[in-house]
Amino acid sequence: MTTVNIHFTGEGDTAVKYSVPAENFQMPLEKSPDGGYSFSVVIDRVTPSYIVNVNNGHSIYGALLLEPGKTHNVTFDRLAGGAFLIDDVAQQAFYDWSKKNWNISYTKYYRSNNDYTQYPLDTVGGRMFDNFLKEISLAQAVFDTIPMSEVLRQNIEREIEFIYISGLSVAINSNLKDCNAKGTPMYTGFKETWERIFKEFPVSKYVDSQDFFLFLNGYVREYLPFMNGEEIQTNFESNAEGYKYWEPRFRQAIEDAIEDPVLRSRALGVRYFYLGFWNKSWDPEVAPYIEDYLRNDPDPFYIEPLENYLDELEKYQIMSNDQYPEGVIFVDGYDSYEKLADVIAIFKGEPLFIDFWFHTCRPCLEEMEKSDPLKDYLHNNGIELLYISVDNEKLDEKWRSAIKKYELSGYHVRASQALHMDINNNYGINLYPRYMLVDADGTIVINRALEPSKEEELFRQIEKALGMY
């Protein structure tokens, strides 16, 4: 049994969630009598975990590599700006390093810096590969003098390696996409370097790494089709067709890349685990693939969460056939509006709070789950609530089901393509969720309002903007 005890310094309204492995469905914890929190899990290997402290609407993430049979003690230090402190020197050193460096795969240097002049990027694949190997060695050397178990050391070294290697793969894939868009050839040696990555750093090595799902996704959807000269299908008539197309490819890729049946089953578990986590549209079409996995020698670690996910999926499908919650109003002709100003004009005479979202936006939905105080506040102060979804026409049913699931009482518009472009181009709204406040005259007084979870801060912001003092 592995136990994690969580403590706090400083004041604040606190809620805590945890996830094992990292990026799992976040599970809330109950506060213990001493004001802290704890959880225990049964694991047979070092396992990444996230601990999330939600304090006055602000989420602070801590990360641990859980070790089998060990008790970990951690502290969220509010006095130090939300610092995450671990009672283990090696764990603390790795957390500090990873917090600074884990975004290597996703920073501008690796995803959008197309000139590739920023080290360790290079326009010659072989040189870039050597640069990354050098960075891996330098990063791993930081931990050489820190005492720790050999198993933990191996896992830390693997995680460092994985962060850099996945970053290199993303860089090459970004170059491929950019060149395809421009009709130009890839940089010298990039194809050979991409192939070298998966030969020298095989997929099977990183099954237990915290972002293995993304690594596997890139391997199956991007790398293999490119290397095999396969033109992949990108548009499907339905979600069922999409799963039918991709799931056999994922299974075959895992079977070909991973010889060990235990690791192979674990990799499939990761695949379906994350499909459930990211599948905010609650597609029933994914259920047969998860059920088949559970019938055929699944990894024990994934049985319970996948079974729980299937139960939630069934409940969601039943709920989606129910009536809309009280107070849900669809704006007449909502899909015919082309300008946000025309939508706002409908509500002239009353202040208006607008929530911009889409049905698979995880941060949007997390905020909606915390929005009851905002709904009460708006109602009590005569402020209308309007949800504008940027889901496209094909997702109309999913959009409506999400309205039911999250009980989104208020006015609703699903943006036409023209309205979506107007929102993006003329109001700078391209990241979601986004919130806006309009006064009774139809003037936008806050273009970027605070999130609903910030409650009192948001209420004071609204009151100041509308002159309610």
Side-chain angles (χ1 to χ4, degrees):
M1 183 75 72
T2 297
T3 300
V4 179
N5 299 316
I6 307 162
H7 306 281
F8 303 89
T9 58
E11 298 297 323
D13 181 24
T14 293
V16 175
K17 298 180 179 180
Y18 76 98
S19 57
V20 181
E23 292 292 355
N24 178 14
F25 316 93
Q26 292 176 5
M27 293 161 280
L29 290 171
E30 295 292 332
K31 186 179 293 187
S32 60
D34 67 356
Y37 296 78
S38 68
F39 67 90
S40 298
V41 292
V42 177
I43 53 176
D44 61 2
R45 55 190 180 273
V46 174
T47 304
S49 175
Y50 280 146
I51 303 168
V52 187
N53 170 212
V54 183
N55 180 37
N56 292 330
H58 301 276
S59 294
I60 303 169
Y61 285 78
L64 276 172
L65 292 175
L66 300 184
E67 300 176 68
K70 185 170 181 176
T71 296
H72 299 276
N73 293 292
V74 303
T75 301
F76 285 98
D77 186 356
R78 300 193 189 100
L79 300 177
F84 185 66
L85 307 177
I86 309 169
D87 71 338
D88 181 288
V89 174
Q91 290 270 4
Q92 185 69 54
F94 180 65
Y95 169 74
D96 292 340
W97 182 90
S98 59
K99 182 179 180 181
K100 181 180 178 182
N101 294 283
W102 83 275
N103 263 337
I104 285 169
S105 301
Y106 310 106
T107 61
K108 62 181 181 180
Y109 306 132
Y110 303 92
R111 188 172 290 278
S112 58
N113 187 351
N114 295 323
D115 64 10
Y116 280 69
T117 58
Q118 179 86 28
Y119 177 87
L121 294 184
D122 198 293
T123 56
V124 176
R127 287 203 301 254
M128 184 163 66
F129 191 88
D130 291 340
N131 290 345
F132 274 72
L133 293 184
K134 185 186 300 182
E135 290 301 307
I136 289 172
S137 295
L138 289 172
Q140 291 174 338
V142 171
F143 297 88
D144 285 348
T145 59
I146 299 175
M148 67 185 84
S149 70
E150 188 58 32
V151 171
L152 181 59
R153 187 176 303 279
Q154 290 172 0
N155 276 269
I156 287 177
E157 289 180 348
R158 183 199 65 205
E159 289 301 303
I160 291 171
E161 187 178 88
F162 176 74
I163 286 171
Y164 277 98
I165 289 303
S166 60
L168 178 56
S169 181
V170 168
I172 295 173
N173 190 25
S174 295
N175 179 245
L176 170 64
K177 291 179 178 178
D178 186 55
C179 291
N180 284 342
K182 295 179 179 178
T184 58
M186 293 178 72
Y187 285 133
T188 304
F190 268 36
K191 177 180 178 181
E192 292 77 10
T193 298
W194 210 5
E195 188 172 22
R196 186 179 173 187
I197 290 172
F198 288 104
K199 284 185 177 179
E200 298 188 23
F201 300 91
V203 170
S204 58
K205 187 174 183 180
Y206 305 106
V207 173
D208 291 324
S209 292
Q210 64 180 15
D211 285 319
F212 174 72
F213 170 76
L214 297 175
F215 193 55
L216 178 66
N217 210 45
Y219 176 72
V220 177
R221 289 178 174 267
E222 310 286 352
Y223 171 78
L224 289 179
F226 175 65
M227 289 298 172
N228 296 331
E230 180 185 3
E231 191 73 27
I232 62 171
Q233 185 176 340
T234 56
N235 295 314
F236 301 95
E237 291 297 321
S238 65
N239 288 335
E241 288 298 314
Y243 288 119
K244 185 177 180 181
Y245 179 85
W246 279 114
E247 292 317 304
R249 285 168 168 76
F250 271 92
R251 289 197 173 217
Q252 188 62 54
I254 289 171
E255 186 173 335
D256 292 343
I258 304 175
E259 294 182 3
D260 185 332
V262 174
L263 285 179
R264 190 184 300 158
S265 176
R266 193 177 301 166
L268 274 173
V270 172
R271 165 69 182 163
Y272 293 124
F273 196 82
Y274 282 97
L275 273 184
F277 177 67
W278 291 107
N279 185 13
K280 288 295 185 181
S281 56
W282 298 92
D283 300 325
E285 296 87 353
V286 74
Y289 299 97
I290 295 178
E291 290 167 348
D292 181 69
Y293 171 72
L294 290 173
R295 284 194 298 265
N296 292 281
D297 198 24
D299 185 285
F301 194 86
Y302 296 104
I303 294 175
E304 183 176 356
L306 287 177
E307 288 178 341
N308 290 342
Y309 171 71
L310 290 176
D311 288 342
E312 289 299 314
L313 184 60
E314 183 177 2
K315 292 176 184 176
Y316 181 78
Q317 297 310 312
I318 294 172
M319 177 276 306
S320 65
N321 294 321
D322 292 342
Q323 298 296 314
Y324 291 104
E326 184 178 355
V328 171
I329 303 170
F330 294 95
V331 173
D332 289 341
Y334 61 78
D335 55 354
S336 64
Y337 287 91
E338 298 184 353
K339 300 290 184 183
L340 180 59
D342 293 335
V343 177
I344 290 174
I346 301 171
F347 298 89
K348 193 168 183 179
E350 298 288 346
L352 177 67
F353 187 88
I354 306 178
D355 182 333
F356 297 91
W357 70 296
F358 57 94
H359 84 282
T360 54
C361 167
R362 190 157 46 118
C364 302
L365 303 179
E366 288 175 352
E367 284 295 329
M368 287 170 176
E369 290 175 336
K370 306 168 188 173
S371 66
D372 282 349
L374 172 63
K375 291 178 184 177
D376 291 341
Y377 175 85
L378 296 177
H379 176 75
N380 293 336
N381 288 279
I383 302 171
E384 300 289 4
L385 174 58
L386 169 65
Y387 296 93
I388 297 182
S389 165
V390 295
D391 286 302
N392 64 41
E393 184 178 0
K394 290 182 178 180
L395 298 172
D396 186 84
E397 184 179 342
K398 302 291 185 184
W399 165 59
R400 292 173 179 272
S401 293
I403 291 171
K404 295 176 183 178
K405 175 175 175 57
Y406 295 96
E407 299 183 341
L408 303 183
S409 55
Y411 290 89
H412 289 270
V413 165
R414 182 176 52 73
S416 65
Q417 185 176 359
L419 178 56
H420 189 177
M421 291 179 63
D422 179 59
I423 290 168
N424 188 340
N425 297 337
N426 297 320
Y427 298 88
I429 299 175
N430 49 34
L431 294 175
Y432 300 88
R434 181 73 171 267
Y435 307 97
M436 180 181 287
L437 182 68
V438 181
D439 68 14
D441 294 327
T443 301
I444 297 171
V445 290
I446 305 179
N447 184 274
R448 190 189 294 269
L450 295 172
E451 297 85 358
S453 60
K454 293 184 179 177
E455 296 184 16
E456 293 299 326
E457 289 181 71
L458 172 59
F459 302 161
R460 302 294 83 78
Q461 184 187 46
I462 292 173
E463 290 163 3
K464 182 177 180 180
L466 296 178
M468 295 168 59
Y469 291 117

